[in-house]
Amino acid sequence: MKRLLTVVFAGLVASSAWGQAAAPDPARLKLRSANVLVLDAAEDRQIYAKAADEVTPIASVTKLMTAMVTLDAQQALDENLDIDAADFDYLKGSHSRLREGTTLSRREMLRLALMASENRAAASLARHYPGGTSAFVTAMNFKALSLGLKHTHYSDPTGLSPQNVSTASDLAKLVQAAAEYPLIREYTTTPSYMVELDTGRSPGFNNSNALVKNQAWDITLQKTGYIREAGKCVVMLVNIASKPVVIVLLDSMGKYTRIADAQRVKHWLETGEALANAPVRAVRAVKARVTSRAAQRTRGTFPPRLLKTSQKR
């Protein structure tokens, strides 16, 4: 991990107030997410924790491990993979814009799995792994053990299964390990992307985390997740006041809670003060402004909005 921080965060200095003095008072930070860990990644030091060792479903945060196992296998990224009925979500019934018979390169499948949390893309990556999906899931669990994720277990490559579980503490380690992979950093922070299909269609996909389009945030890596059993989740490696910070927010039940909690963490680290709980309409307004700016930048190239699903993010 020390080598990673040297490579990824070279040139960063501890110039923030919380870097020079004692960490902000955790009692001032009021978060609504059930499981939280905020970590000073440069010093591997816990800044704030809330039920951080409680085992809980992690939904599509799973796809960070899916990406690492895919890249570790060193299979050709330009090899074409197909979407098969075996890749469909029969557990939650989530929607996908990748139809049966769609063919994309392994690189494109990986990009969509990480950026847009595409379940069929993640399933296809696992199915085309040597030995198939079962061997892929075994590799995911072996990788977890090798990283010291003692309370993490995977049952599928998408995160749709509530049996994919971890803790906020384990996921902080997972985020730092995933940040060693340049493609994972790039794809998780890509705001939007247009895919050219062999059918002649060119659908546009948007990042599942609106914060990557917010210029106030300097995000190195992120991944969102949602299934009913896990609540809304987000993990991020972000630079705040010139320091790398890991933020893990799990089981956020409100639609905008994970974004609002992330804003609270950022404000607390920058000022040492709590950010008042903004009304839901204010959080919606911020998200709407970000979405509007993104739509203006891509108008005429991408569809105005990506069809949402209730299960894949």
Side-chain angles (χ1 to χ4, degrees), residues 30-218:
K30 306 297 182 182
L31 302 178
R32 296 180 180 177
S33 300
N35 310 94
V36 180
L37 186 69
V38 181
L39 183 77
D40 179 340
E43 300 181 13
D44 196 27
R45 176 172 59 91
Q46 179 180 297
I47 306 169
Y48 178 91
K50 176 183 177 183
D53 296 319
E54 179 179 288
V55 177
T56 182
I58 59 172
S60 285
V61 175
T62 292
K63 292 184 177 76
L64 289 178
M65 180 61 78
T66 299
M68 285 194 290
V69 170
T70 297
L71 292 171
D72 285 350
Q74 298 184 339
Q75 296 172 276
L77 292 178
D78 294 328
E79 179 185 356
N80 284 333
L81 312 182
D82 67 317
I83 297 295
D84 187 86
D87 302 321
F88 286 22
D89 170 22
Y90 298 105
L91 180 63
K92 300 291 186 180
S94 61
H95 173 77
S96 173
R97 303 177 74 189
L98 300 181
R99 301 172 182 174
E100 183 176 3
T102 296
T103 299
L104 292 173
S105 69
R106 180 173 282 107
R107 183 189 308 276
E108 299 290 63
M109 294 287 193
L110 181 62
R111 189 195 312 268
L112 294 182
L114 289 172
M115 184 198 82
S117 210
E118 249 296 341
N119 290 317
R120 291 181 187 176
S124 181
L125 289 170
R127 186 167 54 83
H128 288 89
Y129 184 82
T133 301
S134 61
F136 189 90
V137 173
T138 297
M140 293 173 72
N141 286 305
F142 181 82
K143 180 76 171 182
L145 287 175
S146 72
L147 294 175
L149 311 185
K150 299 179 180 179
H151 304 289
T152 300
H153 177 77
Y154 299 100
S155 292
D156 86 303
T158 66
L160 289 166
S161 170
Q163 296 180 32
N164 286 20
V165 297
S166 188
T167 66
S169 296
D170 273 8
L171 291 181
K173 296 177 183 177
L174 176 67
V175 166
Q176 292 177 91
E180 291 192 26
Y181 297 75
L183 283 182
I184 298 180
R185 298 198 304 270
E186 177 186 346
Y187 292 166
T188 61
T189 56
T190 300
S192 57
Y193 188 75
M194 184 173 65
V195 178
E196 295 184 7
L197 303 179
D198 49 12
T199 61
R201 296 170 54 241
S202 298
F205 292 80
N206 293 320
N207 199 298
S208 58
N209 185 348
L211 290 178
V212 301
K213 303 170 186 175
N214 189 331
Q215 294 182 356
W217 283 82
D218 181 11

